[in-house]
Amino acid sequence: MKLALYEDYQLGVINGDRIVNAMSAVEGMSFRRPQDMIEEVIINWGEMRPRIESAVEGQDGVALGSVRLRAPVPKPPKLICAAVNYLEFGQREAAVLDAFLKSPTAVIGNGDTCELPPAPASVFHHEPELAFVIGKTASKVEQDDALSYIFGYTNFLDMSARGLQGAVGNSFFLGKCWDTFAPMGPALVTADEIADPQDLQVRLWNNDEPRHDFPTSDMAHKIPELISEMSKITTLEPGDVIATGVNHQHIGAVQNGDVLRMEIEGLGPPLIINVSDPSGREWPRGIDTEFAAMIIASGRR
């Protein structure tokens, strides 16, 4: 099932190019925030799925293009991003498994605007990633059981500022945690619809020009390992989002007026994000070959 939040955070189900309202499934329930509603759906999925199926049965819905699609997990308890987790088409050795946290307030949805901050970054980059959403509490999980803790999958953009130095070198906080730097969605696709998350193609276009095009099979640390190792460090909870990293070989700069479109096969409609830079800075267009080569060189086979 392809779940979505739209307009004033109504619960819906995406069916092709239409969305069907499913709010009658949560009738009588009270939620302080949209995040509370989607967590209720995730935590009680066994009960909620038939209710949602009943709510949308027989409805034609409305065209996706006629509504505002929101982030399907609008304020995750934790937003964990794997770092340097691709083999760059087999050109480098696996890096040590590492990750960083993004702020939940960085999340935006389809059609929203990522605003580049006035910080003195050397460049800002797009990084399209497969993300998954935790469905049940996970602590010290074994890899063999790890996939059973996933509720669903979604498109994710890890927007990044480069060249911002922290106290002891490059800073993930200064580079990654700005508001609007975590676009997500528009669909949250339940795990049963994705036969193999390590066999998906991730693509991104900048102003309709092709950029990223890579398979999730190129991950150095596969999803079961990510869940297992991360759950040893911090308890994963329903609604937590984990992004799995990017292959950097077609990475490029983003700047004022750009429109980014990313899609992952099987995850429904593409995620489309506008870019705004009030400072009006410019960088070379096209693929950042220097940065891509640096990633390979840092772990060359």
Side-chain angles (χ1 to χ4, degrees):
M1 188 180 295
K2 293 180 174 65
L3 300 171
L5 299 178
Y6 69 106
E7 299 293 18
D8 58 344
Y9 293 94
Q10 300 285 298
L11 178 65
V13 174
I14 294 175
N15 184 9
D17 61 356
R18 303 186 74 78
I19 187 165
V20 183
N21 190 283
M23 285 301 292
S24 64
V26 295
E27 189 174 357
M29 301 180 186
S30 179
F31 306 106
R32 186 172 64 88
R33 309 172 304 161
Q35 178 68 27
D36 298 331
M37 180 173 65
I38 198 65
E39 286 185 19
E40 178 72 19
V41 170
I42 291 170
I43 292 168
N44 297 300
W45 183 237
E47 173 189 346
M48 294 301 301
R49 179 166 195 154
R51 293 177 64 164
I52 293 173
E53 290 172 339
S54 177
V56 302
E57 186 176 4
Q59 288 197 63
D60 185 43
V62 298
L64 279 173
S66 69
V67 301
R68 181 180 180 184
L69 293 164
R70 305 285 191 159
V73 187
K75 203 166 187 180
K78 288 189 286 296
L79 178 48
I80 306 173
C81 299
V84 197
N85 191 37
Y86 271 76
L87 299 173
E88 311 297 326
F89 300 122
Q91 299 178 92
R92 59 162 292 149
E93 297 285 353
V96 173
L97 193 155
D98 196 5
F100 55 90
L101 293 167
K102 279 208 170 198
S103 170
T105 62
V107 173
I108 58 174
N110 188 71
D112 289 344
T113 298
C114 173
E115 182 171 310
L116 307 184
S122 58
V123 70
F124 293 88
H125 280 150
H126 49 63
E127 297 190 26
E129 307 187 9
L130 171 66
F132 57 88
V133 180
I134 295 296
K136 57 184 179 180
T137 301
S139 178
K140 301 178 178 64
V141 170
E142 297 294 332
Q143 288 194 40
D144 288 346
D145 300 325
L147 292 181
S148 69
Y149 288 83
I150 296 177
F151 175 79
Y153 300 89
T154 191
N155 296 305
F156 183 80
L157 269 170
D158 173 23
M159 304 302 291
S160 301
R162 308 295 184 194
L164 297 177
Q165 297 300 303
V168 289
N170 185 60
S171 169
F172 276 126
F173 180 73
L174 295 178
K176 304 282 194 175
C177 287
W178 300 93
D179 285 350
T180 76
F181 267 39
M184 184 192 306
L188 172 54
V189 182
T190 52
D192 59 290
E193 292 204 8
I194 305 300
D196 183 0
Q198 303 293 171
D199 187 27
L200 302 174
Q201 201 71 16
V202 182
R203 297 182 174 91
L204 180 137
W205 295 259
N206 187 353
N207 297 329
D208 291 327
E209 294 182 3
R211 290 291 182 268
H212 296 274
D213 189 351
F214 62 89
T216 56
S217 59
D218 192 45
M219 281 185 207
H221 304 283
K222 308 300 187 187
I223 291 173
E225 184 183 0
L226 293 179
I227 295 173
S228 178
E229 294 305 312
M230 290 176 182
S231 73
K232 294 175 184 176
I233 297 168
T234 182
T235 298
L236 305 175
E237 300 171 311
D240 283 348
V241 174
I242 298 176
T244 56
V246 69
N247 179 305
H248 298 82
Q249 291 312 293
H250 297 107
I251 204 165
V254 294
Q255 47 206 302
N256 189 57
D258 283 355
V259 178
L260 304 177
R261 172 168 53 96
M262 75 160 288
E263 64 180 27
I264 301 176
E265 56 186 316
L267 296 194
L271 173 63
I272 299 173
I273 294 296
N274 303 300
V275 178
S276 171
D277 181 10
S279 300
R281 293 160 291 184
E282 294 185 357
W283 292 273
R285 293 286 182 180
I287 296 170
D288 190 337
T289 55
E290 183 178 347
F291 187 85
M294 181 193 73
I295 295 296
I296 293 174
S298 67
R300 192 180 299 276
R301 288 184 179 277

